[in-house]
């Protein structure tokens, strides 16, 4: 590894250590519903339209926000409504207004099925500041992924509506064996749609994705993907970032705007639909730290999350003798099984 890259990694490590020490909350995800108008093949929470878990009442969540406001400046915290599909909630605009009224920033992750110009205008009027729309390839493959023949057209229509808005937004694409072969063409398609910001995710084997081999990328495919992202970023035609899926060895600081750092439990927290307090929605319930119906969120945030902020316990299995441990510290919390073992490691595939 080149000296300049090592210097960057060391500076990033020092910065990340400071973040762990202060653990200031920057993002709070709210799983406001488990209901969904799609049945995606890779869903980690196995959402469905007839979900038996009721939506969390808005009043229960605003109590958490009022508590957060006692120890963090609300204007510096982004509340991200997600699910499930947040737009299936008929009161989602009311939710946004209450979040905004309390001084927090409000964002959303959506599949775009129910988002048109009229609904977007309603959301913006309710304080929406940022939104991410999922689009996982061309029509056949996106519809296959999302389990609905209308999902591609609706997502594209949502993107077209967003191009005429003034809020911050981006497109999220989950890479699999079906769409990885035409990424350059898909990039050009997004550019023609007016997309300026794009995030690429790889899919880890949890939830429904655990049963589908088409989501598992080979070592060759992972390297191809990183080369594609690096090349696209150098072209400066579209702002492309790889997700926070894990440390990437020699590709670190080249395929995203920041050095890898799992912020779960450090700068990021989540409130699940049943009230559980977690670091990230993708993390196993084994690592939940409390519940808003029995615990003070402030107390949980300040005094728990110990295993998130000191990850020495992760140095086992593949990580035990890894030369990148100093910078990676065991990969993301969402990749840990209940027995602390590591599910997958992209760095190993890239070596």
């Amino acid at each position: 590894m080149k000296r300049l890259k090592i210097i960057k990694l060391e500076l990033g490590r020092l910065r990340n250590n400071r973040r762990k020490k202060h653990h200031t909350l920057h993002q709070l995800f709210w799983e406001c519903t488990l209901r969904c108008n799609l049945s995606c093949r890779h869903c980690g929470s196995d959402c469905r339209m007839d979900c038996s878990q009721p939506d969390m009442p808005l009043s229960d969540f605003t109590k958490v926000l009022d508590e957060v406001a006692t120890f963090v400046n609300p204007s510096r915290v982004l509340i991200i409504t997600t699910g499930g599909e947040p737009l299936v909630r008929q009161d989602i605009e009311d939710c946004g207004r209450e979040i905004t009224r309390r001084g927090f920033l409000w964002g959303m992750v959506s599949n775009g099925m129910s988002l048109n110009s009229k609904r977007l205008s309603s959301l913006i009027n309710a304080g929406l500041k940022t939104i991410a729309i999922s689009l996982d390839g061309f029509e056949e493959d996106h519809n296959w992924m999302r389990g609905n023949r209308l999902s591609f057209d609706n997502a594209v229509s949502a993107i077209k509506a967003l191009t005429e808005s003034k809020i911050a937004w981006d497109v999220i694409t989950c890479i699999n064996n079906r769409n990885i072969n035409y990424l350059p063409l898909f990039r050009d398609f997004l550019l023609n749609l007016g997309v300026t910001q794009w995030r690429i995710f790889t899919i880890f084997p949890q939830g429904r994705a655990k049963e589908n081999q088409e989501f598992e990328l080979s070592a060759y495919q992972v390297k191809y993907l990183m080369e594609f992202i690096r090349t696209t970023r150098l072209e400066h035609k579209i702002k492309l970032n790889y997700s926070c899926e894990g440390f990437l060895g020699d590709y670190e600081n080249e395929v995203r705007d920041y050095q890898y750092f799992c912020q779960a439990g450090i700068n990021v927290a989540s409130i699940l639909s049943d009230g559980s307090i977690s670091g990230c929605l993708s993390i196993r319930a084994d690592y939940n730290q409390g519940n808003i119906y029995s615990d003070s969120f402030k107390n949980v945030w300040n005094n728990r999350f110990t295993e998130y902020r000191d990850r020495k316990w992760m140095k086992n299995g593949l990580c035990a003798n890894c030369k990148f441990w100093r910078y990676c510290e065991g990969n993301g919390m969402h990749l840990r099984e209940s027995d602390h073992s590591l599910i997958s490691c992209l760095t190993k595939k890239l070596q």
Side-chain angles (χ1 to χ4, degrees):
M1 186 175 286
K2 294 182 179 179
R3 181 175 177 80
L4 180 59
K5 183 174 286 289
I6 293 175
I7 292 173
K8 287 183 178 180
L9 289 174
E10 286 295 330
L11 290 173
R13 177 176 175 272
L14 292 173
R15 180 173 59 251
N16 293 339
N17 283 340
R18 287 195 296 269
R19 293 167 72 177
K20 284 188 287 186
K21 179 181 179 180
H22 297 292
H23 52 264
T24 304
L25 184 65
H26 294 321
Q27 288 187 346
L28 178 60
F29 285 87
W30 179 27
E31 189 180 57
C32 64
T33 182
L34 273 182
R35 293 181 295 134
C36 191
N37 47 14
L38 292 179
S39 182
C40 301
R41 293 175 182 268
H42 66 307
C43 183
S45 55
D46 198 22
C47 304
R48 53 198 180 277
M49 198 62 185
D50 61 347
C51 179
S52 59
Q53 173 68 44
D55 296 350
M56 179 182 288
L58 172 59
S59 58
D60 293 355
F61 183 65
T62 55
K63 288 178 183 177
V64 176
L65 293 184
D66 292 339
E67 191 173 6
V68 170
T70 66
F71 68 98
V72 183
N73 183 342
S75 66
R76 296 183 179 180
V77 181
L78 175 63
I79 309 300
I80 304 175
T81 50
T82 183
E85 170 53 46
L87 290 180
V88 302
R89 283 189 66 134
Q90 295 303 307
D91 67 341
I92 194 65
E93 281 88 351
D94 292 334
C95 297
R97 277 187 283 269
E98 286 302 311
I99 293 169
T100 302
R101 187 174 69 82
R102 286 168 165 78
F104 293 89
L105 302 175
W106 175 38
M108 179 185 294
V109 178
S110 174
N111 59 38
M113 277 292 289
S114 301
L115 186 63
N116 52 33
S117 295
K118 183 178 179 180
R119 191 72 190 276
L120 178 60
S121 178
S122 176
L123 293 167
I124 292 173
N125 288 336
L128 186 70
K129 294 292 188 294
T130 179
I131 187 169
I133 300 294
S134 296
L135 190 65
D136 298 313
F138 291 122
E139 184 170 5
E140 180 180 351
D141 293 331
H142 177 85
N143 290 346
W144 168 83
M145 179 82 129
R146 299 289 164 172
N148 188 300
R149 62 184 180 82
L150 300 177
S151 59
F152 177 82
D153 288 342
N154 287 18
V156 169
S157 293
I159 291 169
K160 289 179 178 178
L162 283 164
T163 63
E164 300 177 1
S165 74
K166 294 184 179 180
I167 66 170
W169 61 279
D170 66 353
V171 167
I172 293 174
T173 300
C174 293
I175 303 302
N176 55 70
N177 278 284
R178 295 170 68 112
N179 61 15
I180 193 170
N181 296 317
Y182 56 72
L183 283 176
L185 288 175
F186 189 62
R187 173 194 57 205
D188 295 343
F189 172 76
L190 293 179
L191 283 167
N192 289 331
L193 275 181
V195 176
T196 59
Q197 301 205 57
W198 186 21
R199 274 185 291 164
I200 280 181
F201 283 67
T202 44
I203 303 168
F204 61 98
Q206 286 285 40
R208 295 177 191 164
K210 195 172 185 178
E211 309 302 322
N212 197 317
Q213 295 298 314
E214 291 191 79
F215 295 138
E216 179 70 21
L217 299 182
S218 67
Y220 172 83
Q221 288 173 317
V222 172
K223 186 166 185 179
Y224 168 80
L225 177 61
M226 295 305 142
E227 288 291 337
F228 168 77
I229 296 173
R230 180 163 63 180
T231 300
T232 298
R233 284 171 59 86
L234 290 173
E235 292 172 349
H236 300 292
K237 293 179 180 178
I238 188 171
K239 186 173 183 180
L240 174 58
N241 275 290
Y242 179 63
S243 69
C244 56
E245 188 61 18
F247 186 79
L248 300 171
D250 289 338
Y251 287 96
E252 203 56 54
N253 288 314
E254 294 187 31
V255 294
R256 50 194 165 204
D257 292 343
Y258 55 90
Q259 183 166 312
Y260 169 72
F261 179 57
C262 179
Q263 299 184 61
I266 298 169
N267 302 125
V268 175
S270 299
I271 306 296
L272 279 64
S273 59
D274 65 355
S276 296
I277 302 170
S278 180
C280 169
L281 293 171
S282 299
I283 296 172
R284 295 176 59 91
D286 309 67
Y287 300 105
N288 290 347
Q289 299 300 304
N291 192 291
I292 65 169
Y293 294 115
S294 58
D295 303 295
S296 157
F297 179 85
K298 180 179 180 179
N299 180 59
V300 170
W301 180 255
N302 287 332
N303 301 308
R304 300 186 192 177
F305 284 103
T306 303
E307 58 189 346
Y308 285 74
R309 296 165 188 167
D310 183 356
R311 303 191 182 187
K312 293 184 182 69
W313 59 271
M314 284 181 159
K315 199 169 185 180
N316 57 44
L318 288 175
C319 301
N321 299 303
C322 180
K323 65 180 180 180
F324 292 118
W325 167 264
R326 182 176 180 83
Y327 311 114
C328 176
E329 294 191 329
N331 224 308
M333 284 288 295
H334 66 291
L335 295 174
R336 291 286 162 172
E337 295 279 21
S338 55
D339 64 358
H340 293 177
S341 62
L342 184 64
I343 296 174
S344 63
C345 177
L346 290 176
T347 300
K348 294 295 183 184
K349 286 190 174 184
L350 289 168
Q351 289 177 346

